Amino acid sequence: MLGLGNESLRKIPTDDNCMIKLRDLENAIQEDREQDYHPFCVIGCAGTTNSGSFDDLEALADIAEREDMWFHVDGAFGAWVKLSDTHRHLVRGMERADSLAVDFHKWMNMPYGIGCTLVRDRLAHFSTFVYGHEAEYLKSAFELSEDQLSNPHNLALPLSRNFSSLKVYMLLRAYGRKKYSRLIQQNLDQINYLAKLIEGDDELELTAPVVSNVVCFRFKPINSDETETEKLNRLISAEINKNAFWMISDTSINDKYMLRACNVNHRTKTTDMDFLVREVKEIGHRLLNGV
Ligand SMILES: Cc1ncc(COP(=O)(O)O)c(C=O)c1O
């Protein structure tokens, strides 16, 4: 949208915990400056899509502050761990972001689509879209309005839009923080339970660290090699997703194919985790036996 292009994006390597390597980030900023580029924004993730991992947001905020750069956090689903007692430490430092993206239509289970970006500096936000560029036909309305900085017209690309925030307001009022906290905690506990089931099973393996509400895993029968394992798991995923009753997602981390369970559904039951493990193994064995 800004026309900066993909070449302006520097991807920073991550470690075994799928977290940005801080030293590599610092080196990248340094190298760019030496080549006369102007790095201006550090982006951290609170809950990566693949594995639900969290960057060290406090450390990223320190680097951004030291280097005088904007600090953006993508917390599309992960930001909501802030509501959990056991996992809120993962978002320490998120409150220092200059901007934070969160979705209400993911872990908050609100109807599509209600993405949200919070920007700390109201004037910077406002002047991005308006300052000095008011269209002629809007000028009188603009002058009449008392609080220009809060007028939604001035804070995003569209002028005409739905009253999307109404559903957020209504649901927050109806359910309240306590209920959302309980539901998010419940999803996290269920994922812990699933991770334990997988760890305790000789034919299943965890393929990424379990940090929040995502479990990446594979069916890996004893003695099966990498190629067979990948083929088998691709078939398992296809077989499951043929079925209209339930579905599973998949991904690759460091070129390794895996199944991925991301638990954001407030109606998930712990027994669904038992079902998932049972089905994956049953389908896996059926495929192995050519049935
Ligand atoms: C971390 C993260 N950021 C951004 C997105 C994009 O989501 P949306 O287009 O629904 O806002 C996703 C989707 O899964 C995500 O997991």
Side-chain angles (χ1 to χ4, degrees), residues 45 47-49 74 76-77 103 105-106:
C45 203
T48 58
T49 314
D74 179 351
F77 64 89
D103 277 335
H105 54 244
K106 291 193 167 76

Side-chain angles (χ1 to χ4, degrees), residues 214-278:
V214 179
V215 165
C216 293
F217 69 106
R218 309 195 292 182
F219 176 61
K220 191 170 188 319
I222 295 149
N223 298 331
S224 75
D225 64 22
E226 271 306 307
T227 318
E228 280 167 351
T229 305
E230 169 160 347
K231 194 169 157 207
L232 196 52
N233 281 275
R234 282 189 186 279
L235 288 170
I236 292 173
S237 161
E239 194 61 28
I240 289 173
N241 293 334
K242 255 198 238 163
N243 189 323
F245 173 58
W246 67 294
M247 61 159 289
I248 191 154
S249 61
D250 58 358
T251 191
S252 290
I253 298 180
N254 298 329
D255 294 328
K256 195 177 192 178
Y257 177 81
M258 55 195 75
L259 304 174
R260 169 182 174 272
C262 178
N263 192 22
V264 290
N265 190 334
H266 295 173
R267 289 195 275 178
T268 304
K269 297 194 181 73
T270 307
T271 49
D272 293 332
M273 301 299 160
D274 298 300
F275 173 81
L276 166 67
V277 166
R278 215 170 40 240

Side-chain angles (χ1 to χ4, degrees), residues 80-132:
W80 300 110
V81 301
K82 180 89 179 165
L83 296 178
S84 114
D85 284 338
T86 52
H87 289 63
R88 69 161 57 110
H89 64 278
L90 293 170
V91 288
R92 216 174 281 139
M94 182 172 77
E95 69 288 349
R96 292 173 63 193
D98 293 296
S99 52
L100 167 69
V102 285
D103 277 335
F104 286 93
H105 54 244
K106 291 193 167 76
W107 212 350
M108 295 292 271
N109 283 211
M110 295 188 188
Y112 280 136
I114 179 77
C116 166
T117 307
L118 302 174
V119 181
R120 178 181 301 282
D121 182 338
R122 297 179 80 201
L123 195 57
H125 187 177
F126 171 81
S127 52
T128 299
F129 293 101
V130 177
Y131 207 68

Side-chain angles (χ1 to χ4, degrees), residues 17 31-32 40 49 81 101 126 151 160 183 206 213 234 282:
N17 291 317
E31 278 166 23
D32 279 356
F40 65 92
T49 314
V81 301
F126 171 81
N151 185 340
S160 314
L183 292 165
L206 290 173
N213 61 335
R234 282 189 186 279
E282 206 174 293

